[in-house]
Amino acid sequence: MKNSCLIKGPITPVLISELMASGNDDAGAGAVSIFIGRVRDDETDGKRVTAIEYSAYEEMAVKEVEEVITTVRSAFSDVRSVFIVHSLGVVMAGEASLFIMVTSGHRDHATRACRHTLEMVKERLPVWKKELY
Amino acid sequence: MKNSCLIKGPITPVLISELMASGNDDAGAGAVSIFIGRVRDDETDGKRVTAIEYSAYEEMAVKEVEEVITTVRSAFSDVRSVFIVHSLGVVMAGEASLFIMVTSGHRDHATRACRHTLEMVKERLPVWKKELY
Amino acid sequence: MKAEVRVLYFGAAQEATGKSEETIMAADTASLRNQLISRYPALKQIPFRMALNRTLLKGDSGLQKSDTIAIMPPFQGG
Amino acid sequence: MKAEVRVLYFGAAQEATGKSEETIMAADTASLRNQLISRYPALKQIPFRMALNRTLLKGDSGLQKSDTIAIMPPFQGG
């Protein structure tokens, strides 16, 4: 499985298990830090969100993801792998739309690099959402 | 499944999936932050670690875990659930021995509370290890 | 000199213009921005940035034939 | 007054003493510590802390019958 991609629909528990398994080969990776972003059933103006529809400038998003990974790897020398997956299309409330996983030798770089990746994804990925009620 | 426990042997991918599923009911939890600690195949004095045997002062560890969870929940108001699982006994290199999961409404508290939980676990859990070669 | 460029609209800019892409003649990004806002007044409400050929623009830039400009409202990924 | 307390050994302290628990007479934790180090010289190499009835001790404490003292080398969890 490729480390990073845009996928159609939610990031299912099965896909998450597969992504996590692909980080399992490396017995030098003592630390795995994961962030999962999920669609919240927020209420705005008395209406409850049932789903979010994500769209992206896909060609640019793919390039940005690669640059984020390169930046994170060069900033955190103990990092051994970085995975980024983002949903496109409709994702129901409670389902996952973002998956980030960083493996490293020790805990410090895994946790910090995961957070840093998350912030860069938020800031740099050309992705837009539309709440569905 | 109970949020927190000491288990015999490795924290398997199946158990991790189950733990993650138990955080999935809450559609208000927009952020899930996970840390997994794994046994590294470190080399010391030319010998490679093949496994670690963990032991604990179990009665105290259970109490400390509860206190860590209480502390984290009161320090991070957006946190919705905290899970801590630690292995006892033999865990092979490449297998997981620690699982922490924090869910919250938004990403900031999930990521910071997960890291904080991890540091408290390291500092407060009466657990010892013995490298096996 | 004006060039014919491809303009892509995303997110709220798509709703403001009623389309996802079109071709427009413009000499540079500053004049393109002005042209778009006068053509689609609803765009004025949207603090959009532009990408030139998949790279976010920091300032203004000249335009050449077959350049692709993306009109990008604030990102909302994650 | 001395009390009979239960002493638990963990991690490297278990190897240094060759046992996982025993009962010892001691009036307080300071004298217990001295007693243990003279009885098991290998313990001197281990910077152990003590827990009294499952709570980490910050200072010294008196001891009562049926108290449980844990001899705890530096933690290594995670």
Side-chain angles (χ1 to χ4, degrees):
Chain A
M1 175 164 317
K2 208 168 160 299
N3 276 17
S4 302
C5 51
L6 300 169
I7 66 157
K8 189 87 184 156
I11 305 171
T12 62
V14 169
L15 177 54
I16 288 174
S17 291
E18 286 172 16
L19 288 161
M20 288 171 69
S22 61
N24 273 353
D25 298 336
D26 177 10
V32 182
S33 196
I34 294 171
F35 179 84
I36 298 170
R38 298 163 75 231
V39 171
R40 273 193 316 276
D41 61 348
D42 282 346
E43 199 174 300
T44 42
D45 306 331
K47 294 183 301 177
R48 191 163 288 282
V49 172
T50 58
I52 286 180
E53 185 171 6
Y54 290 96
S55 61
Y57 182 8
E58 295 191 36
E59 298 90 330
M60 181 173 164
V62 168
K63 184 182 74 85
E64 293 292 322
V65 162
E66 293 304 323
E67 287 180 17
V68 168
I69 291 175
T70 302
T71 302
V72 168
R73 292 189 69 117
S74 69
F76 298 94
S77 58
D78 191 34
V79 164
R80 302 170 77 97
S81 67
V82 180
F83 296 74
I84 301 172
V85 180
H86 200 298
S87 290
L88 295 180
V90 174
V91 180
M92 306 298 292
E95 291 181 329
S97 56
L98 173 62
F99 175 88
I100 293 171
M101 178 168 74
V102 177
T103 69
S104 68
H106 303 79
R107 73 188 186 281
D108 187 50
H109 276 203
T111 55
R112 286 167 55 207
C114 185
R115 173 69 191 250
H116 194 67
T117 303
L118 171 57
E119 296 306 320
M120 290 186 80
V121 161
K122 287 267 180 187
E123 190 171 312
R124 295 189 45 171
L125 245 59
V127 171
W128 297 272
K129 65 183 184 182
K130 194 175 146 187
E131 279 85 2
L132 306 177
Y133 298 94
Chain B
M1 178 163 315
K2 207 169 159 300
N3 275 19
S4 302
C5 51
L6 301 168
I7 66 157
K8 188 86 186 156
I11 304 171
T12 61
V14 169
L15 178 55
I16 288 174
S17 293
E18 287 172 15
L19 288 161
M20 289 171 70
S22 61
N24 274 353
D25 298 337
D26 177 9
V32 182
S33 196
I34 295 170
F35 179 84
I36 298 169
R38 299 163 75 232
V39 171
R40 274 194 315 280
D41 62 348
D42 282 345
E43 199 174 301
T44 43
D45 306 330
K47 295 183 299 178
R48 191 163 287 281
V49 172
T50 58
I52 286 180
E53 184 170 7
Y54 291 95
S55 61
Y57 182 9
E58 294 192 38
E59 298 90 331
M60 181 173 165
V62 168
K63 183 183 74 85
E64 293 292 321
V65 161
E66 294 303 324
E67 287 181 17
V68 167
I69 291 175
T70 302
T71 303
V72 168
R73 293 189 70 117
S74 69
F76 298 94
S77 57
D78 191 33
V79 163
R80 302 169 77 96
S81 67
V82 180
F83 296 74
I84 301 172
V85 180
H86 200 297
S87 290
L88 295 181
V90 174
V91 180
M92 305 297 292
E95 292 182 326
S97 57
L98 173 62
F99 175 88
I100 293 170
M101 179 168 74
V102 177
T103 69
S104 69
H106 303 79
R107 73 187 187 281
D108 187 50
H109 277 202
T111 55
R112 286 168 54 207
C114 185
R115 173 68 191 250
H116 194 67
T117 303
L118 171 57
E119 296 305 320
M120 289 185 80
V121 161
K122 286 268 181 188
E123 190 170 312
R124 295 189 45 172
L125 244 60
V127 172
W128 296 273
K129 64 183 185 183
K130 195 176 147 185
E131 280 85 2
L132 306 178
Y133 298 94
Chain C
M1 221 192 68
K2 286 193 176 183
E4 190 181 63
V5 298
R6 186 176 170 217
V7 181
L8 310 177
Y9 302 101
F10 291 102
Q14 231 168 60
E15 284 148 45
T17 61
K19 57 188 73 171
S20 61
E21 74 170 279
E22 67 184 317
T23 53
I24 294 185
M25 296 289 295
D28 53 49
T29 55
S31 67
L32 176 64
R33 179 180 282 267
N34 290 334
Q35 230 187 112
L36 291 174
I37 286 174
S38 66
R39 193 183 296 192
Y40 306 110
L43 267 186
K44 218 179 293 185
Q45 314 306 320
I46 300 170
F48 67 83
R49 294 182 293 175
M50 294 193 265
L52 170 59
N53 301 330
R54 301 187 292 163
T55 298
L56 189 67
L57 279 172
K58 299 273 196 286
D60 284 312
S61 169
L63 290 172
Q64 296 188 303
K65 187 167 160 47
S66 81
D67 277 346
T68 299
I69 290 285
I71 306 303
M72 309 191 301
F75 299 158
Q76 302 171 304
Chain D
M1 220 192 74
K2 287 194 179 187
E4 190 181 63
V5 299
R6 187 175 169 218
V7 181
L8 309 177
Y9 302 101
F10 292 101
Q14 231 169 61
E15 284 149 44
T17 63
K19 58 188 74 170
S20 60
E21 73 171 277
E22 65 184 319
T23 51
I24 295 186
M25 297 290 293
D28 54 48
T29 55
S31 69
L32 177 63
R33 178 180 284 268
N34 290 335
Q35 232 187 109
L36 291 174
I37 287 175
S38 68
R39 195 184 294 192
Y40 307 108
L43 268 186
K44 219 179 295 186
Q45 315 305 320
I46 300 172
F48 68 84
R49 294 183 292 175
M50 294 194 264
L52 171 58
N53 300 329
R54 300 187 292 162
T55 298
L56 190 67
L57 280 172
K58 299 273 197 285
D60 283 311
S61 170
L63 289 171
Q64 296 188 303
K65 189 167 159 48
S66 81
D67 278 345
T68 299
I69 289 285
I71 306 302
M72 309 192 300
F75 300 160
Q76 301 170 305

